[in-house]
């Protein structure tokens, strides 16, 4: 799913995924300053550390999802998980006013209604999972083995792939994702994110 950021023939070299928009394009929901730090510094540090940790190990030839599935708890899992998480995160946004559907359509809309009753009910449950997660971590809309949509909370660098699920939409609730723009108002940040979700990208992740 994310093999585009895996380079070379036999050795995996992870690199910073290219943003599909300019660093100021998500304003006012996410500022350029936040993108510069969150993407340009935090994610780059995870990528650099991951490359160091996999060097000359059996993980060197694995892709990100394989590493996250198989690595034991610790630095390798944490950094691989955060590279995977942040790649999915930054790719799921579109610039404010860029066009595209403002709400899910097609099979994603149908799956959300089946699982949660309505799009509004889904938003409420996703917001509750995001604001209710203690400490740092992620709230995910994911697809389970039966193809059903579920919302899961993953502390720290966790990802639904460890449960055999497909991650579709992730909200980062580490403070560095929102503190510059929203200070400690995590709920306000989550409420604003709905303005910039690229629902076509999210739907294309479905199996």
């Amino acid at each position: 799913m994310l093999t585009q950021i895996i380079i070379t023939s036999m050795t995996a070299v992870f690199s910073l995924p290219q943003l599909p928009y300019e660093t100021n394009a998500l304003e006012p929901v996410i500022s350029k300053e936040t993108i510069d730090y969150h993407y340009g510094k935090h994610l780059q540090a995870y990528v650099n550390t991951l490359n160091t940790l996999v060097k000359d190990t059996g993980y060197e030839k694995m892709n990100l999802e394989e590493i996250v599935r198989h690595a034991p708890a610790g630095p390798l899992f944490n950094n691989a998980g955060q590279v995977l998480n942040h790649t999915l995160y930054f790719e799921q946004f579109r610039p404010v006013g860029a066009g595209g559907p403002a709400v899910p359509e097609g099979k994603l809309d149908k799956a959300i209604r089946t699982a949660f009753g309505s799009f509004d009910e889904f938003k409420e449950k996703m917001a509750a999972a995001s604001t209710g997660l203690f400490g740092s971590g992620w709230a995910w809309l994911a697809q389970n083995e039966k193809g059903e949509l579920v919302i899961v909370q993953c502390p720290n660098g966790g990802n639904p792939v460890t449960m055999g699920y497909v991650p579709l939409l992730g909200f980062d609730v580490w403070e560095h994702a929102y503190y510059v723009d929203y200070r400690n108002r995590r709920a306000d940040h989550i409420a604003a994110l709905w303005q910039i979700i690229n629902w076509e990208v999210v739907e294309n992740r479905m199996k």
Side-chain angles (χ1 to χ4, degrees), residues 104 108-119 122 141 149 199:
L108 177 59
D109 174 58
K110 182 178 179 180
I112 285 175
R113 291 178 184 277
T114 298
F116 306 106
S118 70
F119 179 57
F122 157 64
L141 173 68
L149 299 191
W199 293 109

Side-chain angles (χ1 to χ4, degrees), residues 20-34:
Y21 41 77
E22 298 299 322
T23 56
N24 66 346
L26 303 183
E27 294 182 336
V29 177
I30 301 176
S31 69
K32 181 181 186 300
E33 183 180 3
T34 292

Side-chain angles (χ1 to χ4, degrees), residues 6 12-14 43 45-86 156-159 161-162:
I6 313 300
V13 176
F14 300 93
L43 179 51
Y46 292 132
V47 170
N48 293 345
T49 303
L50 177 60
N51 282 325
T52 299
L53 292 172
V54 299
K55 185 175 175 58
D56 299 325
T57 74
Y59 296 101
E60 197 171 22
K61 298 175 184 178
M62 294 184 183
N63 64 34
L64 273 176
E65 290 191 8
E66 290 171 335
I67 295 173
V68 174
R69 286 194 187 100
H70 298 292
L76 178 59
F77 174 84
N78 292 337
N79 284 274
Q82 288 290 60
V83 174
L84 176 59
N85 291 349
H86 283 87
N156 301 316
N159 186 284
V161 299
T162 60

Side-chain angles (χ1 to χ4, degrees), residues 136-154:
S136 301
W138 297 76
W140 290 97
L141 173 68
Q143 190 175 26
N144 67 19
E145 302 96 325
K146 298 178 181 179
E148 302 163 334
L149 299 191
V150 294
I151 293 173
V152 295
Q153 294 175 313
C154 295

